[in-house]
Amino acid sequence: MPSPTHIVRPAVRCLRHSSVVAAPARNSRSFASTASRHEVAIVQSSRPPRHQDPTFVGTRKQEKKLQKLGWQPIGSRRRRAAAKSSDNIPFEQLPYQCFQEARKILQADREEKLKQIEVERKRIANVQALDPAQCGGEASKKGRLVAMHKYLEELKVLADINDPMIKKRFEDGDGDMNRPIYRYLADRQWREYKRPLMMQRITQMSIVPDVLPHLDPTAEVSIAFSRKHVQPGEFIDSRVSEIPARLKVQVFDKGERLVSVAVIDADVPNIETDGFDYRCHFLATNIPLSPTTTSLPLSKLSQDTQVVLPWLPPYAQKGSPYHRLSIFVLQQPEGKSLDVMSLREKVKRDGFNLRSFNDRCLVKPIGVSLFRSIWDEGTIGVMSRADIEGSNIEFRRKKPESLPYKKKDGARYR
């Protein structure tokens, strides 16, 4: 018996129409849980536009527009493109059998590392309880404990290094810098590009050896003037650098320490010697710094207990070559604060020598960054507002003296 297709087809059309109509109803909210129009407007104004969602932006142009609005893209560009074309499934619940089996293997490896961590902690406790005479002396015991603590930190990193959730949180910028794994990942990322770039700039512009004979940075230093983020070695307008800089210093080892910050101009013209001298534009000490405390606004430091020399706007007189302004972050000895009052009496702004300061105060340079300043249309105003003399001085190069004319013998050309 033939099927009644003239009856089935209208029923199918009706079911399709009802499913299309009912689809928006599943996503709609009840009236009681819906916010008012005013609240919705406020929420939408605090978020970027939909085509500039930090989770889905895929081009460099969209990223720049998003950063101008004060939002940072989340994760890598490849990951954002994949998230845009896939369902919103939690990362750890992705329905891929190979992925889930790999997670089981990684979890078993992590449990093994955790057992090793517990064993190492017990060994450290046993060594700490020993008498120094049994370990070959106090120095031998201390060295043994330092090596054991270093190995313990390595085990903590190895326990989490392969966890995909750890890497996802790090890419999203949600990592806790109190944990060794996130400090390790941040340090590795910095050493891949930013540190070689900084070393190339300070070598190319002769910060080393002009200011310091040797430098091995272990902390990332970024400079900003208000909303202007400075690339290493960038030329900065004198009106922009008139206000004190804001530093972001990221250290990658645990614990809080005290640091000093010095801003040095290594290209101050000296007419008497026909050379260049140093000038300290800013000096502050006893600044607390840790892996989670990274912001150092120089304008908000205490004038009584931290600032030795207040901020002097960088300037370059007309005709002089560009000035290299280098910012050094110097780590102070553990548990030692520097006497600000005595430093104010000893340290002079003109002729400041960073080598002598490091030897006298026993500080160690851990980070550096730099920018350049040159004569521009705002320099006169900056110098007058800061009561700096010499805005009417113009430097000119000496004309090379011509050699005495000597008539050549014409016979040699015959």
Side-chain angles (χ1 to χ4, degrees), residues 53-109:
D53 193 331
T55 313
F56 302 121
V57 290
T59 63
R60 193 182 299 271
K61 186 176 180 180
Q62 291 177 347
E63 290 175 1
K64 290 182 178 180
K65 287 183 179 180
L66 188 66
Q67 290 171 352
K68 287 181 180 179
L69 295 175
W71 295 81
Q72 291 295 330
I74 297 177
S76 62
R77 194 176 299 160
R78 182 174 62 179
R79 184 197 150 196
R80 281 182 258 121
K84 192 174 182 179
S85 60
S86 61
D87 298 330
N88 190 16
I89 302 174
F91 185 74
E92 63 275 8
Q93 298 178 8
L94 290 176
Y96 303 118
Q97 183 178 1
C98 182
F99 176 75
Q100 297 298 338
E101 293 297 329
R103 286 198 67 205
K104 293 179 183 178
I105 297 174
L106 295 177
Q107 186 65 26
D109 179 73

Side-chain angles (χ1 to χ4, degrees), residues 243-258:
I243 60 173
R246 185 181 75 256
L247 304 182
K248 181 183 178 182
V249 183
Q250 180 65 66
V251 292
F252 305 105
D253 52 341
K254 67 176 182 179
E256 187 175 275
R257 76 292 317 269
L258 295 178

Side-chain angles (χ1 to χ4, degrees), residues 371-399:
F371 64 94
R372 289 182 285 179
S373 179
I374 198 170
W375 170 271
D376 53 42
E377 59 183 6
T379 304
I380 296 178
V382 170
M383 295 178 69
S384 62
R385 285 190 292 271
D387 295 330
I388 301 173
E389 299 178 354
S391 60
N392 57 344
I393 297 177
E394 180 178 353
F395 290 91
R396 293 184 179 179
R397 294 184 179 273
K398 288 183 179 180
K399 233 179 182 182

Side-chain angles (χ1 to χ4, degrees), residues 242-289:
E242 186 176 6
I243 60 173
R246 185 181 75 256
L247 304 182
K248 181 183 178 182
V249 183
Q250 180 65 66
V251 292
F252 305 105
D253 52 341
K254 67 176 182 179
E256 187 175 275
R257 76 292 317 269
L258 295 178
V259 299
S260 301
V261 176
V263 182
I264 301 171
D265 185 355
D267 299 307
V268 181
N270 190 330
I271 302 176
E272 297 177 356
T273 61
D274 194 19
F276 297 95
D277 289 337
Y278 300 105
R279 182 195 298 125
C280 184
H281 282 255
F282 182 83
L283 180 62
T285 60
N286 305 328
I287 305 172
L289 186 67

Side-chain angles (χ1 to χ4, degrees), residues 79 91-92 94 99-100 102-104 106-107 110 159-172 182 185:
R79 184 197 150 196
F91 185 74
E92 63 275 8
L94 290 176
F99 176 75
Q100 297 298 338
R103 286 198 67 205
K104 293 179 183 178
L106 295 177
Q107 186 65 26
R110 186 175 188 275
D160 295 325
I161 190 64
N162 296 317
D163 190 348
M165 291 302 299
I166 293 289
K167 294 185 177 181
K168 177 180 180 297
R169 294 192 196 100
F170 177 74
E171 289 183 358
D172 293 349
Y182 291 112
L185 293 175

